[in-house]
Amino acid sequence: MKLRNKKKIELHNYVDYSIGALLLFSPTLFSLESKSIESKIILTIGLSVILLNLITTHRLGLAKILNKKAHLKVDLFLGWFLAVSSSILPVPKRTPT
């Protein structure tokens, strides 16, 4: 593996943990109701991103169960689901207060 690709993978590992943490704090940052479907989706994906990193075979992974190729496929699915979830899941309309 080229050194440049190794650096990209290392950066990806740190960014994944950061994104997971950001997603976990997003409901609070954006003042979402804690029991709302939006909060539950965001929290579930945030927790999934962190757990995914913990079980991936890279320097920052703890369990080293999942290879990097499978990790990237799950990352792609989670990103896609987060992007389209507001369109495919019933999210109640709210009126501004």
Side-chain angles (χ1 to χ4, degrees):
M1 182 182 292
K2 294 180 183 176
L3 181 60
R4 190 175 74 177
N5 287 342
K6 272 189 163 183
K7 286 184 179 181
K8 283 183 183 178
I9 289 172
E10 284 294 314
L11 179 63
H12 179 99
N13 300 338
Y14 290 107
V15 169
D16 265 355
Y17 280 114
S18 300
I19 294 295
L22 179 66
L23 287 170
L24 289 177
F25 290 110
S26 288
T28 303
L29 290 173
F30 298 112
S31 302
L32 296 176
E33 295 175 24
S34 61
K35 304 240 187 240
S36 69
I37 186 94
E38 300 97 332
S39 289
K40 290 177 182 178
I41 290 169
I42 292 169
L43 291 173
T44 302
I45 292 177
L47 186 60
S48 299
V49 167
I50 290 174
L51 290 175
L52 178 65
N53 277 295
L54 290 173
I55 65 167
T56 299
T57 57
H58 56 69
R59 194 169 64 97
L60 300 175
L62 295 179
K64 300 185 188 320
I65 297 169
L66 194 66
N67 67 31
K68 292 172 186 153
K69 189 173 184 177
H71 170 102
L72 292 174
K73 288 180 181 180
V74 176
D75 261 356
L76 183 65
F77 172 76
L78 290 173
W80 171 84
F81 185 77
L82 184 61
V84 301
S85 62
S86 63
S87 299
I88 62 174
L89 295 173
V91 178
K93 302 280 188 232
R94 293 192 172 85
T95 56
T97 55

